[in-house]
Amino acid sequence: ARMAAEHGIPLEGVRGSGPAGRIVKADIETVLSQGLHLQPKRPAAAALQIVNKLVETLTPLDGMRKVIADRMTQAKQTIPHFYLQDRIPMDRVVGLRAALNARGADRDVQPPKLQTQEIPGRDFLQSAKGAARLSYNDFVLMGVSRALMMNPAVNATFDGVGVHTHASVDLAFAVALENGLITPVIKNCDKLGLSDIHRVSEEMAERARRMKLKPDEYMGGTFTVSNLGMYGLDNFSAVINPPQAAILAVAAVAQEPCVDGDGHLYVGWRMGVTLACDHRVLDGAVGAQFLKDLKALLAHPEGWAV
């Protein structure tokens, strides 16, 4: 096996001549002598184009960039952060998202034979313009809102004197802008279904990019989600948005080797998350329980997402 590995020879393609068909050294030498160890050539990757965008500039720190600088400095200097990381199984989210999007595409092409109330995810499918495309972030936002319902201590703000837990989830989510970022707030997210969260978040993100949000639409959140999964990151840490007590950093949904409960190896879908907590408000066990519940929710979305 070592000799085969050293020369890049896949054992499944070698016929063994040893007892009971076992592959022996002579079999590997035969393959080598015939030149069959060479791996099939793959198309050459396109050369990476390096464009020099360096330029000498001096930009005054004002406007949105100054507000961000002031708030993040305040956050890191005054909030004792601690971080909890996990890998969340996303196999069922991947499958359910694909099924709902495919069903929505079919509905856009021709009227379904089933009655509307018989179609799983029916609220999502009622798009007048056609089939909207659910994103992984839609599932994350809804899963986070449900996990916060189960863990009210995390759905909290701190004013320096006392901790205020909130009876509704006003969920903020980060949107990147050309000169900074902004966090639109989905009010009463705990009362919204998947299609509503998709519709509201897309509409607010679009208006945020056009700088059309009103102040009360990006202020007053009780928890924030920052998703950089589109950049392929394995994990990252975010800075808490005061006066909130926590923020969830969401990385890419990607395939990786996994082991099931019976010890079998398989290729599964996983998503890295990091929960940053304000230690003045939350302790490790409270944050860990929130992540545990979020993990369970996203592992079985069919029970709450449709």
Side-chain angles (χ1 to χ4, degrees):
R2 183 192 306 170
M3 185 177 181
E6 289 174 351
H7 293 278
I9 300 173
L11 293 178
E12 61 271 17
V14 180
R15 178 175 297 179
S17 61
R22 188 166 61 88
I23 298 173
V24 296
K25 180 179 179 182
D27 300 323
I28 303 299
E29 291 174 340
T30 298
V31 173
L32 291 172
S33 67
Q34 296 174 352
L36 300 180
H37 65 291
L38 298 176
Q39 298 294 322
K41 293 184 178 180
R42 298 179 179 178
L48 180 63
Q49 299 295 319
I50 300 176
V51 179
N52 188 349
K53 297 182 179 180
L54 297 177
V55 60
E56 199 79 23
T57 65
L58 177 60
T59 304
L61 197 61
D62 56 11
M64 177 177 289
R65 195 74 254 171
K66 186 175 190 307
V67 172
I68 292 173
D70 291 342
R71 286 180 61 81
M72 293 301 97
T73 299
Q74 173 197 358
K76 290 300 286 186
Q77 287 183 344
T78 63
I79 298 177
H81 287 59
F82 73 89
Y83 303 93
L84 301 171
Q85 291 188 336
D86 206 350
R87 303 287 295 172
I88 293 183
M90 295 290 284
D91 305 272
R92 291 178 180 264
V93 167
V94 170
L96 181 59
R97 172 179 176 265
L100 290 177
N101 283 340
R103 204 178 283 262
D106 291 343
R107 182 183 176 92
D108 195 36
V109 172
Q110 58 184 9
K113 296 180 180 180
L114 298 176
Q115 296 297 318
T116 302
Q117 62 268 23
E118 297 176 317
I119 303 175
R122 56 188 178 275
D123 57 338
F124 158 66
L125 297 174
Q126 294 171 351
S127 170
K129 293 178 61 178
R133 300 292 294 179
L134 286 171
S135 68
Y136 292 126
N137 200 50
D138 298 328
F139 286 90
V140 170
L141 292 175
M142 187 170 178
V144 165
S145 71
R146 273 48 181 178
L148 289 171
M149 293 168 65
M150 301 163 67
N151 297 269
V154 184
N155 189 50
T157 54
F158 181 62
D159 63 4
V161 178
V163 177
H164 182 190
T165 59
H166 301 272
S168 64
V169 176
D170 294 338
L171 188 57
F173 63 101
V175 174
L177 306 177
E178 185 176 350
N179 61 338
L181 60 86
I182 195 169
T183 53
V185 177
I186 304 174
K187 301 292 179 65
N188 300 306
C189 193
D190 51 302
K191 298 177 175 63
L192 301 181
L194 191 61
S195 67
D196 295 320
I197 290 174
H198 171 83
R199 175 180 53 80
V200 173
S201 61
E202 285 232 324
E203 189 271 338
M204 295 190 80
E206 175 59 28
R207 286 198 292 117
R209 296 185 187 100
R210 294 187 286 111
M211 303 299 290
K212 297 296 185 181
L213 290 179
K214 300 174 183 178
D216 66 336
E217 292 181 308
Y218 57 84
M219 299 176 66
T222 60
F223 186 93
T224 297
V225 172
S226 179
N227 191 337
L228 292 178
M230 66 291 294
Y231 295 100
L233 300 178
D234 289 333
N235 230 315
F236 73 100
S237 299
V239 180
I240 294 171
N241 185 16
Q244 297 169 21
I247 184 172
L248 184 72
V250 179
V253 177
Q255 288 182 298
E256 62 182 46
C258 303
V259 180
D260 65 18
D262 297 321
H264 300 135
L265 186 65
Y266 70 100
V267 177
W269 293 91
R270 295 293 181 270
M271 179 179 71
V273 295
T274 300
L275 180 69
C277 301
D278 183 341
H279 219 328
R280 299 172 301 178
V281 180
L282 303 173
D283 294 324
V286 177
Q289 184 62 52
F290 167 82
L291 282 184
K292 181 179 179 180
D293 290 335
L294 177 62
K295 190 173 185 176
L297 286 164
L298 291 174
H300 298 281
E302 62 278 359
W304 51 268
V306 294

